[in-house]
Amino acid sequence: EVQLVQSGAEVKKPGESLRISCKGSGYNFTSYWITWVRQMPGKGLEWMGRIDPSDSYIDYSPSFQGHVTISADKSISTAYLQWSSLKASDTAMYYCARLWVIPNWFDPWGQGTLVTVSS
Amino acid sequence: NFMLTQPHSVSESPGKTVIISCTRSSGSIASNYVQWYQQRPGSSPTTVIYEDNQRPSGVPDRFSGSIDSSSNSASLTISGLKTEDEADYYCQSYDSSTLVFGGGTKLTVL
């Protein structure tokens, strides 16, 4: 079974750093891109960026470029999303998903990681 | 970049048919595939339609997708509505290296 398992919920203070993870299993991790999606409380889905785990090539959404860093370690079939200095506005659910490059289809999705940033 | 515009909410009775639209602001809707995702409260999104009109295995044929170039829009049609179809639905497409979601439509089955 193809699965993406994300790391657990996090509670952080403004200014702190954070890295969350997404581990793929049940398929060849380097044959598909991984993408990240933000969902703020009560809001819709926002595409953040995508990474090709085979060579770590990355595309960022212009809205998130410079605010987050996407990376991957193909040796352990894991992708990461990280912040160097969190803000309260980063409070959201973050999903990873396997990306079928053509047609840029997100499937399956991870279970989500809730990040709460509060002083 | 372009935007995908969906109605904020729709409602219909069980057994009826509902159509959710997704209009592309610029560029041709037919140039890039459209996907549709269902998100129930507290759950991750799941695919109901990919590549404009394809259903993943396990998705009932009550769900169908289409593209209309004249209105530059995609549509998700759900027939024989069931209470379990109540959820948020998102369309999604792309343009070169940018991927875009619609704002989402809340479907109420009452």
Side-chain angles (χ1 to χ4, degrees), chain B residues 6-104:
Chain B
Q6 301 179 232
H8 181 69
S9 63
V10 295
S11 62
E12 191 49 272
S13 303
K16 299 292 189 180
T17 296
V18 70
I19 299 174
I20 299 173
S21 62
C22 171
T23 302
R24 181 164 172 153
S25 62
S26 62
S28 171
I29 192 74
S31 296
N32 306 103
Y33 288 116
V34 175
Q35 279 67 239
W36 290 90
Y37 305 96
Q38 177 192 69
Q39 186 179 34
R40 295 190 174 105
S43 296
S44 303
T46 60
T47 307
V48 290
I49 294 289
Y50 69 100
E51 290 184 1
D52 298 340
N53 55 19
Q54 301 299 302
R55 277 188 315 276
S57 60
V59 174
D61 60 5
R62 300 185 297 104
F63 290 81
S64 63
S66 63
I67 296 294
D68 181 356
S69 295
S70 66
S71 59
N72 213 35
S73 64
S75 294
L76 172 68
T77 300
I78 311 172
S79 59
L81 277 169
K82 300 184 176 184
T83 55
E84 67 203 48
D85 298 330
E86 188 162 290
D88 293 326
Y89 291 85
Y90 295 90
C91 59
Q92 174 259 314
S93 191
Y94 57 97
D95 186 2
S96 62
S97 60
T98 300
L99 284 63
V100 176
F101 287 98

Side-chain angles (χ1 to χ4, degrees), chain A residues 35 37 39 43-47 50 57 59-62 95 99 101-112, chain B residues 1 33 35 37 39 42-47 49-51 56 88 90 92-94 96-103:
Chain A
T35 188
V37 176
Q39 187 167 38
K43 301 299 184 182
L45 305 174
E46 301 174 88
W47 178 65
R50 60 183 181 178
Y57 177 82
D59 281 325
Y60 288 101
S61 162
Y95 295 100
L99 184 67
V101 176
I102 299 295
N104 278 305
W105 170 31
F106 300 60
D107 193 87
W109 296 59
Q111 84 277 19
Chain B
N1 288 348
Y33 288 116
Q35 279 67 239
Y37 305 96
Q39 186 179 34
S43 296
S44 303
T46 60
T47 307
I49 294 289
Y50 69 100
E51 290 184 1
D88 293 326
Y90 295 90
Q92 174 259 314
S93 191
Y94 57 97
S96 62
S97 60
T98 300
L99 284 63
V100 176
F101 287 98

Side-chain angles (χ1 to χ4, degrees), chain A residues 26-117:
Chain A
Y27 72 101
N28 185 344
F29 188 70
T30 57
S31 294
Y32 297 84
W33 294 48
I34 292 290
T35 188
W36 288 94
V37 176
R38 182 176 79 175
Q39 187 167 38
M40 300 178 76
K43 301 299 184 182
L45 305 174
E46 301 174 88
W47 178 65
M48 301 178 72
R50 60 183 181 178
I51 184 167
D52 179 350
S54 67
D55 61 7
S56 289
Y57 177 82
I58 303 168
D59 281 325
Y60 288 101
S61 162
S63 299
F64 291 91
Q65 177 93 46
H67 297 286
V68 297
T69 301
I70 294 171
S71 61
D73 183 342
K74 62 185 179 183
S75 69
I76 54 172
S77 300
T78 300
Y80 302 97
L81 178 66
Q82 66 183 67
W83 296 260
S84 59
S85 180
L86 286 161
K87 304 174 183 176
S89 56
D90 293 317
T91 295
M93 181 72 82
Y94 292 89
Y95 295 100
C96 66
R98 186 177 68 166
L99 184 67
W100 301 63
V101 176
I102 299 295
N104 278 305
W105 170 31
F106 300 60
D107 193 87
W109 296 59
Q111 84 277 19
T113 296
L114 180 62
V115 174
T116 303
V117 184

